[in-house]
Amino acid sequence: VGSGSATDCAPGTFNAIAGQPTCDNCAAGTFQTQSGQTACLQCTGGNYCALGAAAELPCPAGSYSNTPGLDAASTCTACPAGSSCSTGSTAAAACAPGTFTASASARTCDDCSAGTFQTEAGQTACLQCTGGNYCRLGAAAELPCPAGSYSNTPGLGAASTCTACPA
């Protein structure tokens, strides 16, 4: 009432009808980055938008979503065990061979510890190296003890822990 000129709607708001006294907030699941707009945009996958959002916010690390129009971080899906999700992920990434995650909501995969290995992607645990072999940190496969050495002890973490063959 009594305005000398029109005022643009602020980011996060819109007005679709001329002559209105106020602007409306963008609905949850939508956003608007620019001022003076007549509509809001739907949030894209990997993001969420609260009521009146002026920008998309990424799903937190350890979660993902490929569904558009999410309205809260809690609506992003937790990454399943055996995978990881960086901030704003649209899909869970399976842990690579030599890595694992034992629980859900992992931000990154962990390396298999020395003395263990994992040959497959997307796993929740590593396997212990068998006798006659050793496994370095992050091993995707067992390595045989070097020529001239042996071991019947499982879980060796380095070639130097194999026993030299006797004379």
Side-chain angles (χ1 to χ4, degrees):
V1 176
S3 293
S5 63
T7 303
D8 283 345
C9 292
T13 66
F14 74 102
N15 190 342
I17 303 170
Q20 298 299 307
T22 61
C23 298
D24 295 319
N25 282 326
C26 289
T30 67
F31 72 104
Q32 182 50 257
T33 59
Q34 299 177 357
S35 60
Q37 300 301 304
T38 59
C40 295
L41 306 170
Q42 186 175 45
C43 249
T44 60
N47 298 290
Y48 67 95
C49 300
L51 177 68
E56 295 179 286
L57 295 173
C59 285
S63 67
Y64 72 98
S65 179
N66 61 2
T67 305
L70 297 183
D71 61 3
S74 61
T75 57
C76 297
T77 304
C79 245
S83 65
S84 66
C85 299
S86 60
T87 301
S89 291
T90 57
C95 292
T99 67
F100 73 103
T101 58
S103 60
S105 300
R107 297 166 188 238
T108 60
C109 296
D110 298 317
D111 286 333
C112 290
S113 60
T116 67
F117 72 103
Q118 182 50 258
T119 59
E120 297 179 32
Q123 298 303 302
T124 59
C126 296
L127 307 169
Q128 186 176 47
C129 269
T130 59
N133 297 293
Y134 67 96
C135 300
R136 296 184 180 129
L137 176 69
E142 296 180 284
L143 297 172
C145 285
S149 67
Y150 72 98
S151 177
N152 59 6
T153 305
L156 297 182
S160 61
T161 57
C162 295
T163 304
C165 289

